[in-house]
Amino acid sequence: MKSNMIVSRYSTIDKVDPRIFGSFVEHLGRCVYEGIYEPGHNTADSLGFRGDVKNLVKELNTSFIRYPGGNFVSGYNWEDGIGPRGERPKRLDLAWKTLETNEVGVHEFVDWAKEVNAEINMAVNLGTRGIEEARNIVEYCNHSSGSYWSDLRRKNGANKPFGIKTWCLGNEMDGPWQMGAKTADEYGRIAAEAAKMMKWTDSNIELVACGSSSCEMPTFASWEATVLEHTYEHVDYLSLHRYYNNTKNDIQSYLAQSLDMDNFIKSVVAICDYVKAKKRSKKTLHLSFDEWNVWYHSQEQDKEILKRDPWSVAPPILEDIYNFEDALLVGSLLITLLKNCDRVKIACLAQLVNVIAPIMTEKGGAAWRQTTFYPFMHAANYGHGIVLRPQIECPTYDCEAFSGVPFVETVAVFNEEKEELVVFAVNRSLDEDVEFDIELQGFTVSATPSFTEISGFGLKDVNTKSKGTVKPQEKSAVRSGGNTVIAELAPLSWNVIRVGVK
Ligand code: AHR
């Protein structure tokens, strides 16, 4: 089959905000304990953080990490995680039926994030707590000195403020599973008041209000509209969360789920712009897709683990083992985020280590890359610059979930600094190669393109600690000249074509 794409230097969507390649570390399962933190591990640093995990996080190149939850944050006392470690209280975490030791708190996480070159996106508890605790943690983290909370931070070893810029106003406050869940009016009011006080404490911060926990919530859309009625002028982003699954084992519908993500984004943009118009506001709200991923493989086993062993420390829950088809979907979702980069400025792959994560660890043992590690690593390393508006001609298919699904999902990003055009593409066809012709307008090819792909694996193939089978390989099936690049996209493949351009 054949597919054509024209990309023009003069037809652009927007510049990619690097925070779109964000991730998420929650005090959940083995994400923090036995994930990023394991004193006693043979690669651990002086603070107890695993060196092998830090190296993989750097390789992944995630720029921005949401912390400390997730559902966990809605019952969290951030003060439990400061001060001498030996004196920190152990608490029951009602979100995940786990015992939280508080060995890792804000100071430790700030140190770790610095080492992996990531900015922190801190969430405050608006479930069981309120506006007072929210403004206190901003003062603790960001005020230089001379006030109660800033001096306490200094006493606890951090003379310089942490300078945390982006803050989430709670988490999934529409969900009945959330501690302190709220109606849209209740949440809108508390979020607006918290936002005012947090910004009065530090006027440099940016705030994310909670959108719906998913577009399948019965209150979706009216939740967003009501929350924004209260918060529009006080916040900078609205959050979106969405997890995908292939429980029906229908590969064609599964790989089409990036169309669902695209619809979801477009709907939330419409709601934001409706409130903007209603309020005659000059401000345009951006989106923070701060939880997205595939999540379903571990769900049955988690029920057993939590029934058998509630209130344990770091139980192995949400440990999805990702396969090749999951990597293809994750690739398509990354392309979708890039195509919407004019409104999506933040996105967080949920999560980073062990918990629905691209990186897995074994206690006292190895750390390894899941299949989904690679498309994220490619996008986070090469997807920087200006996204070009793609004009595409491509055959389509119909499936149970959608009709008119293009076989090729693709986007091109122009990195002016590196004089490089990077094309990401997924071929959804189960059995056909695609001859993919890319016509460049306003550029000429200046170097032989490089072509990396992930293909040729069984849909259910996975990586384990001893077998990293599903991984990228270099390909030579690409020709170029003048203003044309032609690549052969293998059936069921993730492809990265990097072209030097002038
Ligand atoms: O990422 C796992 C959980 O999914 C988060 O804690 C919550 O916000 C969402 O429901």
Side-chain angles (χ1 to χ4, degrees):
M1 131 180 38
K2 242 182 103 87
S3 171
N4 301 313
M5 173 165 77
I6 300 175
V7 285
S8 162
R9 191 179 202 137
Y10 310 109
S11 178
T12 61
I13 295 179
D14 207 347
K15 187 161 191 239
V16 178
D17 188 321
R19 295 175 301 172
I20 208 172
F21 304 118
S23 181
F24 180 24
V25 168
E26 177 167 2
H27 284 247
L28 192 185
R30 297 192 310 124
C31 186
V32 173
Y33 308 111
E34 292 184 25
I36 64 171
Y37 176 80
E38 192 185 332
H41 189 271
N42 61 13
T43 68
D45 62 18
S46 57
L47 287 173
F49 289 111
R50 283 180 66 148
D52 54 351
V53 173
K54 279 195 278 185
N55 288 340
L56 286 175
V57 174
K58 284 190 238 172
E59 188 180 320
L60 192 68
N61 202 24
T62 183
S63 52
F64 185 78
I65 303 180
R66 186 162 172 253
Y67 175 84
N71 297 341
F72 171 79
V73 81
S74 295
Y76 183 49
N77 297 338
W78 66 268
E79 303 90 329
D80 291 347
I82 60 173
R85 273 168 163 183
E87 293 170 21
R88 296 183 191 173
K90 291 189 171 64
R91 301 265 189 202
L92 296 187
D93 165 30
L94 305 188
W96 301 105
K97 300 222 167 357
T98 298
L99 190 69
E100 172 56 50
T101 64
N102 285 303
E103 274 169 81
V104 172
V106 62
H107 285 259
E108 292 77 23
F109 194 70
V110 163
D111 288 340
W112 178 81
K114 219 175 273 160
E115 294 226 359
V116 297
N117 312 317
E119 185 184 331
I120 296 175
N121 173 206
M122 184 72 79
V124 300
N125 174 357
L126 291 186
T128 59
R129 308 190 85 193
I131 59 179
E132 172 73 358
E133 295 85 357
R135 66 117 170 207
N136 291 347
I137 186 175
V138 175
E139 181 182 320
Y140 187 88
C141 291
N142 287 4
H143 195 73
S144 55
S145 62
S147 67
Y148 176 78
W149 290 106
S150 59
D151 285 345
L152 186 57
R153 180 199 69 241
R154 288 161 63 91
K155 188 170 153 229
N156 287 334
N159 267 333
K160 279 205 184 151
F162 300 143
I164 296 173
K165 178 144 174 102
T166 319
W167 296 75
C168 297
L169 295 164
N171 176 70
E172 297 191 347
M173 300 305 308
D174 60 329
W177 58 85
Q178 203 68 213
M179 289 176 264
K182 296 185 169 39
T183 65
D185 277 309
E186 286 166 351
Y187 172 67
R189 286 285 303 124
I190 191 176
E193 291 305 312
K196 272 164 47 185
M197 290 175 67
M198 290 164 79
K199 284 193 172 174
W200 285 342
T201 306
D202 179 356
S203 58
N204 293 318
I205 62 174
E206 292 189 337
L207 298 172
V208 185
C210 289
S212 298
S213 316
S214 112
C215 48
E216 282 171 359
M217 295 299 285
T219 48
F220 170 60
S222 68
W223 170 274
E224 276 75 2
T226 305
V227 166
L228 290 181
E229 283 289 340
H230 293 285
T231 58
Y232 196 88
E233 295 301 341
H234 302 293
V235 303
D236 306 278
Y237 307 90
L238 185 66
S239 77
L240 294 82
H241 290 183
R242 189 82 172 122
Y243 293 98
Y244 294 99
N245 68 70
N246 190 14
T247 42
K248 288 187 177 163
N249 200 17
D250 168 359
I251 185 66
Q252 293 220 305
S253 289
Y254 184 52
L255 295 183
Q257 291 306 313
S258 57
L259 278 69
D260 170 275
M261 180 190 249
D262 195 62
N263 286 340
F264 184 21
I265 292 170
K266 301 269 181 337
S267 309
V268 177
V269 164
I271 301 164
C272 292
D273 291 350
Y274 157 76
V275 179
K276 175 183 180 179
K278 200 166 168 217
K279 288 185 174 287
R280 279 80 170 153
S281 175
K282 291 202 169 18
K283 171 170 140 189
T284 297
L285 212 67
H286 289 120
L287 308 189
S288 171
F289 212 125
D290 50 32
E291 286 189 34
W292 69 271
N293 205 348
V294 172
W295 175 12
Y296 75 104
H297 297 286
S298 60
Q299 271 161 358
E300 284 310 305
Q301 125 198 348
D302 287 352
K303 287 181 201 149
E304 285 306 305
I305 294 174
L306 290 175
K307 199 158 80 189
R308 202 177 51 229
D309 204 9
W311 315 121
S312 61
V313 177
I317 51 174
L318 281 74
E319 300 207 358
D320 275 40
I321 303 302
Y322 292 120
N323 56 32
F324 173 50
E325 68 188 25
D326 299 329
L328 293 174
L329 179 64
V330 164
S332 314
L333 297 171
L334 285 159
I335 291 173
T336 306
L337 292 169
L338 284 167
K339 286 202 290 195
N340 286 286
C341 74
D342 52 336
R343 296 303 286 267
V344 180
K345 299 295 174 188
I346 296 172
C348 301
L349 176 73
Q351 298 193 1
L352 186 58
V353 184
N354 289 330
V355 169
I356 43 174
I359 298 169
M360 294 298 292
T361 69
E362 181 187 50
K363 186 176 182 185
W368 64 97
R369 302 165 190 83
Q370 295 236 53
T371 60
T372 53
F373 182 95
Y374 295 106
F376 190 97
M377 175 191 83
H378 288 145
N381 279 284
Y382 305 124
H384 295 277
I386 310 278
V387 176
L388 306 178
R389 195 172 295 286
Q391 289 170 268
I392 299 170
E393 195 180 38
C394 178
T396 60
Y397 67 88
D398 296 336
C399 57
E400 196 190 318
F402 295 95
S403 52
V405 182
F407 278 102
V408 178
E409 183 75 71
T410 185
V411 74
V413 186
F414 173 46
N415 187 326
E416 203 158 9
E417 225 169 280
K418 291 192 177 159
E419 299 192 318
E420 182 176 78
L421 188 76
V422 181
V423 177
F424 300 105
V426 170
N427 178 4
R428 295 187 171 104
S429 169
L430 309 188
D431 45 22
E432 275 196 61
D433 274 344
V434 171
E435 186 191 302
F436 188 36
D437 287 19
I438 309 164
E439 185 188 318
L440 314 181
Q441 294 182 346
F443 305 103
T444 48
V445 176
S446 62
T448 312
S450 79
F451 185 10
T452 308
E453 66 154 25
I454 309 178
S455 81
F457 301 103
L459 287 171
K460 309 292 180 194
D461 283 1
V462 299
N463 291 343
T464 61
K465 72 171 172 167
S466 51
K467 205 166 59 78
T469 320
V470 181
K471 60 178 182 208
Q473 58 214 12
E474 296 309 307
K475 263 189 92 171
S476 55
V478 61
R479 292 170 280 140
S480 66
N483 64 344
T484 315
V485 178
I486 304 172
E488 290 295 328
L489 309 183
L492 294 172
S493 58
W494 160 256
N495 304 273
V496 184
I497 304 159
R498 295 165 59 206
V499 194
V501 289
K502 285 268 181 244

